[in-house]
Amino acid sequence: MLDQILVPFMDIQLLILIALGTLFGVVKGLLPGLSVTMAVTLLVSLTYTWETIPAIVTMIAVFYGGVYGGARSSILINVPGSASSLAHTFDGYPLTKRGEAGVAIGITTIYAVIGGAIGLLCLGVAAPFLGELALGFAARDYFLIMFLGLLLVGGLSEGSMAKAIFVAGVGVTLGMVGMDSLTGVERFTFGNLELKSGINYIACMLGLFGLSEVLIQLHNLGKTKADVIIGKVLPPLIYLIKFLPLTIRTAIIGVVVGILPGAGGEISSLLAYDHAKKTVKNPTRPFGKGAYEGLVAPEVAVMSTNGGAMIPMLTLGIPGDAVTAVLIGAMTIHGLKPGPMLMVETPELFWIILGAALVSLIFIVIWGLSAISFFARVILIPKYVLMPIIVFFTVIGSYGINNSVADVYWMIVFGVIGYLLRLYKFPTGPMVLGIILGPQMDVYLRRAIITEEGSIWGFVSSLFIHPISLILTLFVLFTLFSQTALYKKVKGQLLQKFSKKSADV
Amino acid sequence: MVAGKYISTLLIVISLAVVVLSFNIEEQDVFDPSSPSFFPALVGVVMLISALMIARRGIQSPSSAQEETKQHVAVEGNDEEEPEKEMYEKENITQKGINIRLILFTALVVLFAILMNYINFMVLSFLFLFGSMLLLSREKMLRSFIVSLIVSVAFYYTFVHVFHIVFP
Amino acid sequence: MLRKTAISVIAFSMLMLAGCGSQPASNASNSSAPQGNASAPQESTTNFPTGTVTGVIQWGAGGALDTMSRKIGPLAEKHLGNSLVLTNKPGATGAIAVQYVNDKKSDGHNLLFAAENPALYGVMKISDVDFKDFYPVNILARGIATVVVPGDSKYQTLDDLIKDAQANPGKVKMASTGPGGLPFTVTTMLGTVTNTQYNMVPFDGDGPSLTALLGGHLDATVLGLPAAIENAKAGKVRVLSVINDERIDELKDVPAVVETLPDMKKYLPWGPFYGVWVKKDTPDDVKKYLVDVFAKAQQDPDFQDFLSNSGAISVGISGDEAVKYWMDWQSTTAWLLQDAGAAKVSPADLNIEKKN
């Protein structure tokens, strides 16, 4: 069956479909607000009458291309193409500001492929094992993971922790507006039907990052200096080796998050970024100012998550993230039966999908690296032309989430809020983190407690009894501890001791 | 700072509101950790604490913050190896001019959203694009006109026929 | 000064255009030739449809309703005479989509693709708008529920599960997908009939609850038939019972719930259902046209194959027959919830008849 991997490589029709699909995904990914999930959904209708294999293969291509493409707008204009590319703005946009947009795109392309390949490797080699592993994660483990993600807030604070925490709190509160998914009880809705469905985080993100960025830019409409260099496109090869350990670690993070049903690229990219920040001692530049590692980590994670998400999809029929949920629906429509029997009854499907994803990665390199200078020139467009166009996209993006003008209003509101936040030196990242992770943390916490029949003691002890939970709990405790002054003091003292010792010798 | 006091009070008020609203969530016991009101209340309390800490440190108004960062940069400027290049020429405009521009621009966006339900989307996008470009710069109007035209038409067709987004 | 004049002119002209009256669905003049041309469109006296028809799906992408809607959509489009565009509008247990379609004109250009949830909006106090404000174009199919346990569970039969629950009230962990959801209602049924209580752990949907079950975090759950069959074949779950009044072909060895608990018979047949609705005050000839279109699509062998592959039972009724169908369902379910103390508003207050 392994030979089935080669099918996509050999069949001309499939090759063309993958090429087009990937291109479509990349282009769409760079349009802020239009999510990959939407693109794949519409492909379901488009490919309805096709045969199963070409249809699925095309959707896989769009999936990979789209997730990769989201990084581009994050880098060039500081507007995330989708929630998974939020982390790319942290170091991607500063790179553009330094005139290294080309390198940034080059890095994301290369590492997208590496990350994607690692994810697929896990899929091909260890799928059943990883699938079982995913099942072992209980609600409390998800809670711990989300909590870890939220602790990233500390890293985004640019100084005042209190401000970051407050903003995150606002985000969490906003995320809880609406009907509680566990009990159906309304929270913070004031009886309004629109609020009942909650505040969409994409509209929030588009406003907070897109519109507010534009508003900030409007402070200065001076001409862009023509002598800003786009820069080399490929990072020096040395970096490939230097970043290898980081790459592998973040790829693991990506795959693990991917296999967890319900957790996708948005979470893995953030966790990866945080991890990079904590573990890379001497980044090429300080994080937040254009560190290459700050771009490598999220991109690797997000692309390996794709592979990870396909594991539960193919081995259990359970979606690993939003896009795989749509893919499962598509398979059902084409007469397949996603579930544990899928691999048994139609094993060739598994390998063909793997092969198609690999081919898609190749095309990502092709499409991604070509016309880089063309894309990078986007920043040279005069602001008075570019800003309206960006806003235009944020409006369409927010509308397109649910075909609702209400989301556009939300986007505008968040745009103004984001602008004010920036003006008063409040960080904006934590709000999006709060809105995405907050409600999930709440749900998992409650589910875990209910599972322990409402006993808090039962909950706390469960954190330490089960192996997976124990590991995660230790991570969380360590992260919390490392933020405190005590830790820094101890660390400082230890370092002093060591340097003294080596000096003596 | 006057501005600082207003903002800190605002933050405290917001946090208190969150806590109070959590108590008001229908039929739920805030102290039961499995209830939907537990987490919101907890978050509200955390927000309150951070708001108080912020109030203590004091808020900086934008202009004073800029001065501070300028001093900061002047001191540290020599340490950094690669200072960020200035990407944009400085524009000649007053603070008041900036504020007017911001308000008008935002108003245009809001207008765009409101009118989405009434005017054909392609026409509306063209108007918005052209209008905002004019707002921002009087020069090269013809170029603005053409770009707005192309963008609105091209993307309208893309969104409707490729993405099947249904516009109001 | 010139700049400000230009802006005010533009703003003014925008307002003028708005004042000239709202325009109907802007897609009408811009859509390309209708994509459906396989068979000639029906004869219609009122020229319906005059533009693209929008189908609003009440739940999110990838779910059971979404998959079924996207399966029948293209089939219906063939007979429709114009494009049918499907879009998801999830939220508030589907109430958002219901409200959305309700706000549109009653000209048949906006269809609601819904599952059984709107029938419970009243008693669960979710929304004031529900099935009573719509006309059923076609109730496509219904699903069947099963009770499953992990493959290595200590429970061999439904009886084992119930005995354990009776011995340890509130300890046996079952999944729930929220108030009014499938597992919730079935478990309430079982609870009422056998006088047992379970620890209902809430989840967002079938998928997550299945995942938890497979991981051993739950003792049992109620699962739709297709997923149950697939997982049973792979040995990952054991199906203890089928919530139906007779055995199912694909699971011949699994007893129907009435064999173990004869008292369940009064609730059955019961299960989730999926259908297409249009606003109640849509003109009659438009309604008739839509009914014809979807009847043909529903009977299409392609769709029927899909149904049997998904373990769903074809229903295919419209109009008054369909109204009776959902009202019966509503009556059974609403009173069931009321008797279990789970309803927020008494069905009596909503004029829902009690059947038994």
Side-chain angles (χ1 to χ4, degrees):
Chain A
M1 278 311 157
L2 188 54
D3 56 316
Q4 293 285 343
I5 269 197
L6 296 176
V7 166
F9 287 90
M10 315 282 246
D11 184 325
I12 292 288
Q13 181 203 24
L14 291 180
L15 273 177
I16 297 185
L17 282 177
I18 299 181
L20 291 175
T22 315
L23 179 61
F24 176 64
V26 174
V27 169
K28 182 234 62 63
L30 81 96
L31 298 176
L34 299 174
S35 66
V36 187
T37 317
M38 253 175 59
V40 179
T41 306
L42 96 92
L43 257 136
V44 172
S45 328
L46 259 172
T47 59
Y48 184 85
T49 47
W50 298 11
E51 278 178 30
T52 312
I53 303 279
I56 306 254
V57 154
T58 315
M59 288 189 256
I60 301 276
V62 173
F63 181 30
Y64 270 81
V67 172
Y68 158 71
R72 216 162 270 219
S73 67
S74 303
I75 294 174
L76 291 174
I77 49 181
N78 205 26
V79 179
S82 69
S84 326
S85 350
L86 181 59
H88 296 74
T89 60
F90 302 151
D91 276 288
Y93 187 57
L95 274 174
T96 303
K97 284 202 276 200
R98 305 180 87 106
E100 293 187 47
V103 181
I105 297 185
I107 291 183
T108 48
T109 312
I110 304 283
Y111 281 96
V113 171
I114 298 182
I118 299 183
L120 290 173
L121 185 66
C122 293
L123 173 64
V125 168
F129 166 70
L130 289 173
E132 290 294 322
L133 181 65
L135 294 178
F137 279 70
R140 57 176 177 267
D141 304 314
Y142 280 80
F143 166 71
L144 290 169
I145 292 183
M146 302 291 158
F147 194 29
L148 258 180
L150 203 56
L151 289 179
L152 172 62
V153 157
L156 293 178
S157 54
E158 298 162 357
S160 166
M161 271 285 273
K163 285 185 182 178
I165 295 182
F166 184 81
V167 171
V170 174
V172 172
T173 311
L174 289 174
M176 292 198 276
V177 169
M179 260 178 60
D180 171 39
S181 53
L182 255 46
T183 56
V185 161
E186 291 183 38
R187 297 193 286 190
F188 305 122
T189 60
F190 308 111
N192 180 322
L193 185 72
E194 274 301 337
L195 288 179
K196 225 182 201 150
S197 61
I199 300 178
N200 192 292
Y201 71 90
I202 297 186
C204 163
M205 195 179 65
L206 285 175
L208 220 49
F209 281 83
L211 186 58
S212 76
E213 176 69 24
V214 167
L215 291 176
I216 296 269
Q217 292 284 351
L218 287 185
H219 275 211
N220 179 6
L221 285 182
K223 290 201 217 316
T224 320
K225 292 202 192 135
D227 59 343
V228 166
I229 317 166
I230 300 299
K232 316 184 295 287
V233 162
L234 291 176
L237 271 158
I238 303 238
Y239 281 143
L240 271 176
I241 314 230
K242 185 175 176 209
F243 296 152
L244 191 59
L246 177 67
T247 310
I248 297 192
R249 293 197 306 262
T250 43
I252 295 180
I253 294 182
V255 171
V256 171
V257 172
I259 59 180
L260 296 180
E266 328 77 60
I267 300 190
S268 64
S269 56
L270 290 170
L271 287 178
Y273 183 79
D274 190 34
H275 171 83
K277 253 193 129 173
K278 292 200 162 62
T279 54
V280 176
K281 291 305 161 204
N282 294 312
T284 42
R285 256 170 234 125
F287 277 99
K289 298 217 183 309
Y292 291 157
E293 292 88 343
L295 207 46
V296 166
E299 187 65 27
V300 166
V302 119
M303 292 298 278
S304 62
T305 298
N306 277 12
M310 294 207 285
I311 292 182
M313 168 178 95
L314 293 171
T315 58
L316 297 169
I318 297 176
D321 73 350
V323 177
T324 39
V326 177
L327 282 173
I328 289 182
M331 287 197 271
T332 312
I333 288 185
H334 282 273
L336 294 168
K337 294 195 207 183
M341 298 305 287
L342 185 70
M343 299 261 289
V344 173
E345 291 173 1
T346 49
E348 63 274 8
L349 185 70
F350 178 81
W351 296 109
I352 293 184
I353 288 185
L354 222 147
L358 282 172
V359 175
S360 171
L361 287 178
I362 297 181
F363 278 106
I364 284 184
V365 175
I366 299 181
W367 300 130
L369 292 182
S370 59
I372 282 196
S373 49
F374 170 72
F375 278 110
R377 266 172 227 296
V378 160
I379 46 178
L380 291 179
I381 298 180
K383 279 204 202 180
Y384 69 88
V385 169
L386 188 58
M387 295 302 131
I389 294 184
I390 294 180
V391 173
F392 177 60
F393 277 119
T394 55
V395 168
I396 296 189
S398 6
Y399 175 74
I401 309 169
N402 272 325
N403 288 336
S404 140
V405 188
D407 289 324
V408 181
Y409 290 128
W410 280 119
M411 189 274 297
I412 299 180
V413 166
F414 278 107
V416 174
I417 293 181
Y419 173 70
L420 293 172
L421 284 179
R422 286 173 151 173
L423 215 53
Y424 287 98
K425 295 262 172 240
F426 276 82
T428 49
M431 191 179 286
V432 179
L433 270 185
I435 246 191
I436 295 179
L437 295 177
Q440 295 203 43
M441 264 180 73
D442 174 41
V443 164
Y444 287 123
L445 175 66
R446 306 219 313 261
R447 191 175 294 149
I449 293 190
I450 293 180
T451 310
E452 301 295 330
E453 291 155 39
S455 128
I456 297 214
W457 172 243
F459 169 67
V460 172
S461 56
S462 70
L463 292 178
F464 292 96
I465 299 181
H466 300 96
I468 297 181
S469 320
L470 182 61
I471 299 179
L472 288 172
T473 312
L474 288 175
F475 261 119
V476 170
L477 288 176
F478 180 70
T479 311
L480 276 172
F481 182 56
S482 66
Q483 309 276 26
T484 62
L486 179 64
Y487 174 82
K488 292 185 181 133
K489 214 168 86 173
V490 170
K491 187 173 161 192
Q493 285 176 346
L494 280 174
L495 281 176
Q496 269 188 349
K497 261 205 198 145
F498 276 125
S499 51
K500 267 202 199 136
K501 273 205 183 133
S502 46
D504 287 342
V505 174
Chain B
M1 305 234 60
V2 179
K5 286 217 196 87
Y6 278 151
I7 295 191
S8 320
T9 339
L10 180 64
L11 296 184
I12 298 184
V13 166
I14 294 179
S15 331
L16 282 173
V18 171
V19 179
V20 170
L21 281 174
S22 313
F23 273 93
N24 280 343
I25 292 179
E26 212 183 296
E27 315 161 0
Q28 300 297 334
D29 171 17
V30 163
F31 297 105
D32 174 9
S34 69
S35 84
S37 46
F38 170 70
F39 203 64
L42 184 65
V43 171
V45 168
V46 170
M47 281 169 70
L48 189 59
I49 297 178
S50 11
L52 290 171
M53 282 177 62
I54 296 177
R56 240 183 17 147
R57 277 194 225 169
I59 305 285
Q60 299 169 328
S61 74
S63 47
S64 88
Q66 277 174 12
E67 280 173 24
E68 247 201 48
T69 20
K70 273 190 204 146
Q71 288 173 358
H72 211 56
V73 168
V75 167
E76 278 197 356
N78 301 321
D79 296 337
E80 260 201 8
E81 294 185 18
E82 302 172 50
E84 277 187 25
K85 298 180 184 139
E86 269 302 332
M87 275 190 82
Y88 305 104
E89 289 173 3
K90 195 76 180 75
E91 188 198 4
N92 223 349
I93 189 166
T94 64
Q95 180 66 32
K96 184 168 172 220
I98 291 182
N99 286 343
I100 294 185
R101 176 193 290 165
L102 284 173
I103 294 184
L104 281 179
F105 189 79
T106 314
L108 266 184
V109 182
V110 174
L111 206 54
F112 187 8
I114 296 180
L115 292 176
M116 267 177 90
N117 271 321
Y118 301 107
I119 305 186
N120 173 293
F121 189 76
M122 180 164 65
V123 171
L124 184 60
S125 9
F126 169 71
L127 285 176
F128 169 74
L129 286 170
F130 189 43
S132 37
M133 288 187 200
L134 279 190
L135 167 66
L136 300 179
S137 166
R138 278 160 45 193
E139 36 182 301
K140 301 224 172 108
M141 278 202 216
L142 183 60
R143 180 204 283 189
S144 307
F145 184 83
I146 295 180
V147 172
S148 314
L149 197 59
I150 297 180
V151 171
S152 45
V153 171
F155 284 102
Y156 179 73
Y157 277 103
T158 313
F159 288 127
V160 171
H161 291 119
V162 178
F163 289 106
H164 286 297
I165 298 183
V166 178
F167 287 112
Chain C
M1 193 55 223
L2 176 59
R3 188 202 287 190
K4 297 213 169 113
T5 327
I7 297 166
S8 22
V9 165
I10 292 186
F12 185 64
S13 53
M14 281 163 107
L15 286 166
M16 285 293 288
L17 283 172
C20 281
S22 42
Q23 299 191 359
S26 53
N27 281 316
S29 44
N30 287 315
S31 52
S32 49
Q35 292 159 348
N37 53 14
S39 65
Q42 295 273 293
E43 290 299 316
S44 151
T45 50
T46 52
N47 249 344
F48 171 82
T50 56
T52 308
V53 174
T54 310
V56 182
I57 306 175
Q58 180 189 57
W59 287 96
L65 175 65
D66 179 68
T67 310
M68 192 174 293
S69 313
R70 293 190 185 274
K71 185 72 185 173
I72 204 173
L75 295 172
E77 193 179 51
K78 276 195 287 192
H79 307 285
L80 187 62
N82 211 315
S83 327
L84 171 64
V85 173
L86 293 172
T87 171
N88 301 79
K89 257 197 179 300
T93 320
I96 300 286
V98 173
Q99 186 73 40
Y100 179 84
V101 179
N102 197 46
D103 288 340
K104 298 278 172 224
K105 286 204 275 220
S106 308
D107 58 5
H109 283 87
N110 283 282
L111 303 174
L112 173 70
F113 284 76
E116 76 285 1
N117 316 86
L120 295 177
Y121 286 169
V123 287
M124 298 311 285
K125 217 168 164 203
I126 293 178
S127 169
D128 292 324
V129 180
D130 61 46
F131 280 148
K132 64 181 185 320
D133 306 290
F134 287 84
Y135 175 84
V137 171
N138 195 314
I139 295 188
L140 302 167
R142 68 178 177 99
I144 297 189
T146 63
V147 178
V148 300
V149 294
D152 52 1
S153 160
K154 60 188 179 186
Y155 306 122
Q156 298 291 338
T157 66
L158 185 58
D159 228 14
D160 293 341
L161 179 66
I162 294 181
K163 287 210 173 61
D164 196 19
Q166 284 169 335
N168 306 298
K171 285 208 180 297
V172 175
K173 298 196 276 272
M174 297 269 284
S176 142
T177 51
L182 177 64
F184 175 81
T185 317
V186 169
T187 313
T188 314
M189 279 182 195
L190 290 175
T192 310
V193 159
T194 59
N195 208 359
T196 47
Q197 286 157 331
Y198 301 88
N199 185 0
M200 301 294 294
V201 184
F203 288 89
D204 295 333
D206 280 356
S209 59
L210 176 60
T211 312
L213 182 81
L214 292 174
H217 309 295
L218 287 174
D219 296 312
T221 186
V222 175
L223 198 60
L225 193 59
I229 295 180
E230 288 303 303
N231 281 287
K233 264 197 238 173
K236 295 211 180 274
V237 303
R238 182 180 304 140
V239 184
L240 294 184
S241 182
V242 175
I243 309 293
N244 202 28
D245 41 7
E246 54 183 21
R247 295 197 177 198
I248 301 284
D249 285 339
E250 292 92 342
L251 291 174
K252 289 206 196 53
D253 300 328
V254 176
V257 70
V258 291
E259 298 174 35
T260 321
L261 305 167
D263 285 338
M264 285 287 282
K265 193 151 173 56
K266 62 180 184 242
Y267 298 128
L268 303 172
W270 188 92
F273 56 85
Y274 313 92
V276 187
W277 274 264
V278 77
K279 284 185 72 172
K280 203 170 54 170
D281 43 358
T282 308
D284 281 339
D285 51 355
V286 174
K287 277 182 190 162
K288 180 177 182 324
Y289 184 74
L290 286 170
V291 169
D292 283 340
V293 165
F294 276 93
K296 287 200 177 73
Q298 203 267 354
Q299 289 299 311
D300 191 312
D302 205 1
F303 188 69
Q304 292 291 322
D305 277 343
F306 164 77
L307 287 183
S308 51
N309 276 340
S310 330
I313 297 184
S314 173
V315 174
I317 55 181
S318 352
D320 290 338
E321 200 187 346
V323 173
K324 177 170 188 318
Y325 185 90
W326 72 253
M327 290 195 82
D328 278 348
W329 191 96
Q330 181 186 56
S331 164
T332 307
T333 318
W335 279 104
L336 164 73
L337 293 175
Q338 170 72 0
D339 291 340
K344 294 204 179 149
V345 174
S346 166
D349 297 340
L350 297 169
N351 290 328
I352 298 179
E353 279 178 35
K354 189 157 189 174
K355 274 173 60 184
N356 310 294

